[in-house]
Amino acid sequence: MTSRAALLVLADGRFPAGGHAHSGGAEAAVKAGRITDAASLAAFCRGRLHTSGLTAAALAAAAALGHDPYALDAAADARTPSPALRAAGRKLGRQMMRAARATWPCPELDALAAAFPRGAHQPVVLGVAARSAGLGPEDAAHCVAYETVSGPATATVRLLSLDPFQATAVLARLAPAMDRVAEEAAAAARQGIDALPAASAPLLDITAEQHASWPVRLFAS
């Protein structure tokens, strides 16, 4: 039975999974002038949600369903052409693993941690953690969909001194889109690994590589 409280814990921005150190591409977008206010933040988040967000949400849903996490990690690698984003995904996965094992210890998480000492991809770890917490694929997909947009929104508040009320309003208005993406991701996950979406965002990949080379930056990615 799904625990609503467990879902709130996993989706809470204060869950110590390391996401606060990552902007989800927002830092590079701010510097390039693609995010300048609440309206452009909303456009950036919507685009991220329907591309890399959908892909990550489906991976997490598949892991929550119990699909082979090793095959899912390989699928995540294939869907992440940017070396910088692959490294960030594994770093976030390693931090998520530490938090999840302390919160919902289980043999599945232990086995995944042993198999990937440098970190499995974060959506895969999140999905296994959701399964350990008694959550289902829709729950895992909703967590990923939300963090896909909440990370850039929170980062933009810091980067632009954007009014936090405006940033929160952006997230609230994206709620229906988040629901649809989570439903689509969970439906794809039920069809198997080969049916998982591979939506791409080439500009995010390009700017991630540029961002990784900056000598000074506020966020890790």
Side-chain angles (χ1 to χ4, degrees):
M1 180 178 179
T2 294
S3 166
R4 186 170 297 172
L7 175 59
L8 292 173
V9 171
L10 186 58
D12 192 335
R14 292 165 293 188
F15 189 70
H20 65 279
H22 296 260
S23 76
E27 186 168 22
V30 166
K31 184 174 182 180
R34 285 188 288 273
I35 298 178
T36 58
D37 53 17
S40 52
L41 170 64
F44 176 87
C45 287
R46 189 177 296 276
R48 191 168 191 267
L49 176 64
H50 287 285
T51 54
S52 57
L54 171 62
T55 300
L59 288 163
L65 278 168
H67 288 302
D68 181 0
Y70 310 102
L72 287 172
D73 190 79
D77 236 21
R79 287 161 171 77
T80 313
S82 161
L85 289 181
R86 286 199 298 271
R90 292 194 181 280
K91 184 176 182 178
L92 282 167
R94 188 166 63 249
Q95 182 66 22
M96 170 66 73
M97 179 66 76
R98 290 181 61 195
R101 291 175 78 189
T103 309
W104 300 291
C106 75
E108 282 183 274
L109 285 170
D110 292 342
L112 190 60
F116 294 96
R118 298 181 64 184
H121 278 283
Q122 192 263 5
V124 179
V125 179
L126 187 149
V128 176
R131 182 177 171 86
S132 302
L135 301 174
E138 287 85 4
D139 300 314
H142 270 100
C143 284
V144 172
Y146 178 70
E147 71 178 17
T148 293
V149 295
S150 64
T154 301
T156 300
V157 170
R158 296 172 63 186
L159 291 162
L160 286 179
S161 297
L162 183 70
D163 185 338
F165 293 105
Q166 290 184 324
T168 302
V170 167
L171 297 180
R173 291 170 189 143
L174 284 171
M178 284 187 259
D179 287 343
R180 289 192 295 271
V181 164
E183 290 165 7
E184 182 180 347
R190 287 191 168 89
Q191 298 177 46
I193 296 177
D194 291 341
L196 296 179
S200 63
L203 188 56
L204 284 179
D205 295 326
I206 292 168
T207 55
E209 292 302 309
Q210 295 170 343
H211 181 268
S213 70
W214 293 1
V216 179
R217 52 188 173 169
L218 185 60
F219 292 94
S221 70

